[in-house]
C-alpha cells in the first residue's frame, strides 16, 4: 500500500496575501484620513460672496446677481440669500449649497437647489 504525500502549504503565497492585506489597510486608512481632512478644510474655508455671485451668474443667466446674506451655521451646508435684477425687476432667492465629493478625496461646494 502506497502512502499519500501530505501537501505542505506554500508559505510564499500566504506571506504575499498577508503583506497585501496589510498594505491595503494602510492605503484605505490614509485615503479616509485625507478625505476627512479635505472635507474639514473645505468647511473651515467657506467661499466668499464674490464666488457665490460668479457661480450663480450661469444659473440665473444674469450678471446682476448680488449676495445679501451667507448662512453657514449648518455643517456641510450653506444657505445664500441673493437678489437678481432681470429686466428692471428684483427677484429674491435662497440657494442651498452642499459639500459634494467627486472622487471621495476632493470636496467642493455645489448648488443643490434654489427657491
Amino acid at each position: 500500500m502506497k502512502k499519500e504525500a501530505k501537501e505542505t502549504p506554500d508559505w510564499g503565497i500566504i506571506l504575499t496575501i498577508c503583506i497585501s492585506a496589510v498594505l491595503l489597510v494602510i492605503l484605505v486608512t490614509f485615503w479616509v484620513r485625507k478625505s476627512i481632512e479635505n472635507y474639514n478644510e473645505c468647511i473651515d474655508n467657506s467661499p466668499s460672496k464674490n464666488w457665490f455671485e460668479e457661480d450663480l451668474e450661469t444659473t440665473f443667466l444674469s450678471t446682476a446677481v448680488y449676495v445679501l446674506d451667507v448662512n453657514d451655521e449648518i455643517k456641510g451646508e450653506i444657505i445664500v440669500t441673493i437678489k437678481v435684477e432681470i429686466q428692471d425687476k428684483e427677484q429674491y432667492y435662497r440657494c442651498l449649497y452642499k459639500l459634494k465629493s467627486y472622487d471621495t478625496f476632493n470636496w467642493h461646494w455645489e448648488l443643490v437647489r434654489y427657491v
Side-chain angles (χ1 to χ4, degrees):
M1 191 184 227
K2 276 187 175 178
K3 284 189 173 181
E4 293 184 26
K6 290 185 178 178
E7 291 186 29
T8 58
D10 191 1
W11 291 106
I13 293 175
I14 294 172
L15 185 61
T16 303
I17 292 172
C18 290
I19 290 174
S20 299
V22 168
L23 289 176
L24 182 64
V25 167
I26 291 171
L27 182 65
V28 168
T29 302
F30 170 76
W31 188 272
V32 169
R33 286 184 66 211
K34 192 66 174 169
S35 178
I36 292 171
E37 180 181 312
N38 289 346
Y39 177 84
N40 289 333
E41 181 180 332
C42 201
I43 285 180
D44 293 340
N45 300 322
S46 61
S48 66
K49 288 184 177 184
N50 291 334
W51 184 88
F52 287 116
E53 289 174 355
E54 290 177 8
D55 188 53
L56 292 168
E57 285 177 356
T58 56
T59 303
F60 292 101
L61 301 175
S62 173
T63 56
V65 176
Y66 305 102
V67 174
L68 303 175
D69 184 38
V70 177
N71 183 355
D72 59 352
E73 294 176 6
I74 302 170
K75 188 175 182 178
E77 292 183 358
I78 295 178
I79 298 173
V80 181
T81 306
I82 63 168
K83 174 178 78 170
V84 180
E85 294 177 0
I86 301 175
Q87 299 176 354
D88 298 328
K89 288 192 222 175
E90 292 181 352
Q91 298 175 344
Y92 295 90
Y93 296 96
R94 293 182 66 192
C95 305
L96 175 65
Y97 278 84
K98 286 189 178 184
L99 270 178
K100 300 286 182 169
S101 173
Y102 51 86
D103 64 357
T104 68
F105 193 66
N106 295 311
W107 294 86
H108 65 283
W109 291 103
E110 186 177 292
L111 177 65
V112 177
R113 67 176 175 264
Y114 59 90
V115 179

